[in-house]
Amino acid sequence: MTETYIAVDIGASSGRLMLSEKDPFDKITLKEIHRFKNGFFEIEGTDYWDADHLIKEILIGLEKVKQRGVDNCYVGIDTWGVDYCLLNKEGQAISQPVSYRDTRTEMAMEEFDQHFSLRTLYEKTGIQLQPFNTVFQLLKEDREKLAQANRLLLMPDYLGYVLTGNAVLEKTNASTMQLMNLKTRKIDEDVLTAIEVDKELFPDPVEPGSILGTILKDKFPEYDLPDATFITIASHDTASAVVGTPGKGDHWAYISSGTWSLMGVEIEEGISTAEAYEANFTNEWGVQGTIRFLKNIMGMWLIQEVARLQDYHYSYPELAELASQEEAFVSLIDVNDQRFMNPKNMIIEIQNYCREMNQKIPETAGELARCIYDSLALCYAIELEKLEQITDRTITQLHIVGGGSNNDFLNQLTADVCGIDVLAGPGEATAIGNIIVQMVATEGFGTLAEGREGIKKSFPMKEFTPTADHHEAIEKYHALTKTFI
């Protein structure tokens, strides 16, 4: 009997359910069953996610699975990290979860540092200092809500809880909170004390690949659902994307390219040295005890916002084509500057930055896209060099996976600027990684390595080799970004 696997993959702007099966020759199929929009909304100055909407869309997707004749399936859920839902004693959500892009944490790091050293926080957790990390969200959380709360569930764990009734803390996503100790692999009580949060708020941590439970069909009588067994996979989307990256050996790095660009390597032991701290690299947990040593880079969010503000007049391929027709490295931005996190108008923010730095102000869609893509590629080059230095590894191949891997223009630009061979694809790495963990958990694959070989057999990749040297542009970008350190 062929098993059916469903990946529920939810990002900041959209979600989808992907159906997968594996043939006797380890070839994996992947088909989109249901796609839906996601996004945050504002109520009285606070940005929230609509978790009820996400539950509804998952149920609609599973109903479509049943309509395809699938009576039994396995399901795994991945989402973004850091955000959470607080439950009361009755197990009900106190409110919709606040988005990490909300402004409540703008000064949270400075406030935290006044009574607990940020340097010590990094040494303990190994997690990149970002104002939206869960530790800083909890510092700024409404104290009345915290007093009512009986349980905190991260986004994928909350969705799984609503659907199965079982509450867990999946480790790959839990690591993004900046509350887990890198050495003990447990919640750090010193950090909890610093933000006045009770350890009992958190469920027991579980490994990716654990069985969560079966869907509560009686709870959702209006839907015709299959008998679905939920598996707690690598529920942080980057953790799943790395699983879905068919790298081999110790000389490859990855960029999981979506709303964020996550550049890193897979290592066995965390690195929380002074050098790693200064470079602001993070040690997020991966599957089977690995560490995702990586850097968060403001990725396709920049071009997504430009496209949205232009009412999607140009598709993303059209924006890349327009960018290719513009002169290179004329206008550059520090893509990681906090001003680009959630501006009221991304185009105006980019133009203001260029004006302040005495650069040509990008006006047209092509100029704006060129500015973004040039800046991203140059940022990749600088961070790749830091990655090699800190890990003492020579990187000879860069895998770009996720939706951004479909951008041939940026892929070639990245190969040129970084001076490295780029392998692009699979574009659905997150969903594929989600599926691979399910398959390993149910003995569809014996090991993760076997699963990655199955990915190579099943999904094509495109190779880009360096064709030009852009050393001067790298130096220009390096000088520019140092201005804002």
Side-chain angles (χ1 to χ4, degrees):
M1 175 183 171
T2 301
E3 301 285 7
T4 300
Y5 301 88
I6 307 297
V8 180
D9 174 29
I10 306 177
S13 59
S14 68
R16 64 268 180 82
L17 276 74
M18 308 288 283
L19 185 149
S20 180
E21 295 175 341
K22 181 174 74 70
D23 69 16
F25 304 100
D26 290 345
K27 191 166 184 179
I28 305 162
T29 60
L30 193 67
K31 183 175 182 60
E32 183 178 299
I33 300 299
H34 180 56
R35 177 177 287 269
F36 53 92
K37 291 183 178 179
N38 188 30
F40 50 85
F41 61 95
E42 183 182 330
I43 297 179
E44 297 180 351
T46 299
D47 292 325
Y48 295 93
W49 300 107
D50 189 346
D52 294 339
H53 163 72
L54 299 180
I55 293 292
K56 178 182 176 182
E57 295 292 348
I58 293 171
L59 292 169
I60 291 171
L62 288 176
E63 193 169 48
K64 289 182 179 180
V65 170
K66 179 69 177 292
Q67 290 168 359
R68 294 176 63 90
V70 176
D71 294 320
N72 296 273
C73 60
Y74 293 103
V75 183
I77 302 173
D78 67 77
T79 77
W80 63 97
V82 306
D83 287 342
Y84 57 86
C85 197
L86 294 173
L87 310 184
N88 60 24
K89 291 181 181 179
E90 289 72 41
Q92 301 299 314
I94 294 172
S95 72
Q96 295 289 350
V98 177
S99 169
Y100 66 87
R101 292 196 187 273
D102 184 74
T103 58
R104 66 176 177 168
T105 60
E106 280 183 347
M107 299 303 295
M109 286 172 54
E110 291 80 357
E111 182 179 334
F112 183 93
D113 196 38
Q114 290 176 5
H115 60 275
F116 194 103
S117 162
L118 291 173
R119 180 66 172 268
T120 302
L121 177 67
Y122 182 82
E123 290 171 351
K124 279 177 165 286
T125 65
I127 296 299
Q128 178 182 10
L129 294 167
Q130 296 275 22
F132 51 71
N133 289 349
T134 312
V135 62
F136 303 121
Q137 291 197 45
L138 286 170
L139 179 67
K140 303 303 291 185
E141 183 59 84
D142 185 312
R143 291 292 124 176
E144 288 187 14
K145 283 186 182 179
L146 275 177
Q148 295 175 46
N150 185 60
R151 183 69 79 206
L152 179 151
L153 295 178
L154 294 170
M155 285 301 299
D157 296 330
Y158 173 70
L159 300 175
Y161 163 76
V162 173
L163 294 165
T164 69
N166 297 322
V168 298
L169 182 66
E170 190 276 313
K171 287 184 176 181
T172 69
N173 209 17
S175 68
T176 70
M177 297 191 297
Q178 205 163 23
L179 294 172
M180 308 292 284
N181 189 288
L182 185 60
K183 291 184 173 61
T184 67
R185 301 291 180 108
K186 297 177 180 179
I187 290 178
D188 193 292
E189 297 192 36
D190 291 341
V191 179
L192 285 183
T193 299
I195 57 174
E196 299 180 356
V197 170
D198 194 329
K199 183 181 177 183
E200 299 305 313
L201 200 60
F202 302 88
D204 292 333
V206 298
E207 295 287 345
S210 305
I211 302 297
L212 179 62
T214 56
I215 193 165
L216 300 172
K217 294 171 71 171
D218 292 345
K219 185 178 178 180
F220 310 103
E222 64 271 38
Y223 297 94
D224 182 22
L225 301 169
D227 292 324
T229 299
F230 282 74
I231 297 176
T232 302
I233 48 88
S235 65
H236 187 271
D237 50 11
T238 309
S240 277
V242 173
V243 173
T245 303
K248 189 174 183 179
D250 295 329
H251 298 288
W252 61 279
Y254 57 81
I255 297 177
S256 177
S257 179
T259 300
W260 290 88
S261 290
L262 298 311
M263 171 184 275
V265 294
E266 206 171 47
I267 58 178
E268 298 301 318
E269 299 291 337
I271 303 173
S272 57
T273 60
E275 189 179 14
Y277 172 77
E278 294 298 333
N280 211 15
F281 272 76
T282 198
N283 293 268
E284 295 175 358
W285 303 357
V287 299
Q288 299 180 351
T290 58
I291 295 291
R292 292 174 283 125
F293 188 71
L294 61 87
K295 181 67 174 283
N296 281 288
I297 298 168
M298 203 92 69
M300 295 303 153
W301 164 252
L302 297 156
I303 199 72
Q304 288 167 0
E305 281 294 280
V306 168
R308 181 183 67 82
L309 289 166
Q310 296 179 332
D311 295 322
Y312 300 102
H313 182 72
Y314 299 104
S315 68
Y316 295 124
E318 287 171 338
L319 285 170
E321 176 60 28
L322 290 172
S324 71
Q325 298 169 19
E326 300 292 335
E327 185 180 352
F329 311 120
V330 173
S331 305
L332 301 173
I333 59 171
D334 178 357
V335 295
N336 284 329
D337 193 289
Q338 287 299 311
R339 68 199 293 169
F340 302 121
M341 172 63 70
N342 190 19
K344 291 182 178 179
N345 188 303
M346 183 67 77
I347 292 174
I348 291 175
E349 204 66 51
I350 290 172
Q351 291 171 337
N352 286 342
Y353 183 102
C354 292
R355 183 178 294 109
E356 292 165 17
M357 300 305 295
N358 298 313
Q359 300 182 105
K360 179 183 177 182
I361 300 169
E363 301 284 354
T364 68
E367 289 171 346
L368 286 161
R370 183 83 211 200
C371 170
I372 290 169
Y373 292 139
D374 282 351
S375 300
L376 278 173
L378 291 166
C379 182
Y380 295 162
I382 289 172
E383 298 303 336
L384 184 65
E385 183 180 356
K386 292 178 186 176
L387 186 63
E388 289 184 309
Q389 291 173 350
I390 295 169
T391 61
D392 194 26
R393 286 188 178 186
T394 300
I395 306 300
T396 58
Q397 197 169 73
L398 180 62
H399 286 264
I400 300 181
V401 299
S405 69
N406 297 314
N407 190 323
D408 288 355
F409 171 70
L410 181 57
N411 292 337
Q412 185 61 58
L413 187 61
T414 299
D416 291 344
V417 172
C418 295
I420 194 172
D421 290 340
V422 167
L423 279 176
E428 302 292 351
T430 302
I432 293 166
N434 179 321
I435 295 292
I436 292 297
V437 174
Q438 293 185 56
M439 288 181 173
V440 172
T442 57
E443 299 183 357
F445 281 114
T447 65
L448 175 58
E450 289 177 10
R452 281 179 166 155
E453 286 300 316
I455 294 171
K456 288 181 182 178
K457 292 179 183 178
S458 309
F459 303 99
M461 292 181 287
K462 294 180 72 173
E463 187 166 359
F464 300 84
T465 57
T467 59
D469 184 350
H470 295 299
H471 182 74
E472 289 185 7
I474 294 173
E475 290 302 313
K476 178 181 176 181
Y477 188 80
H478 201 24
L480 180 77
T481 55
K482 279 189 173 181
T483 306
F484 288 88
I485 291 175

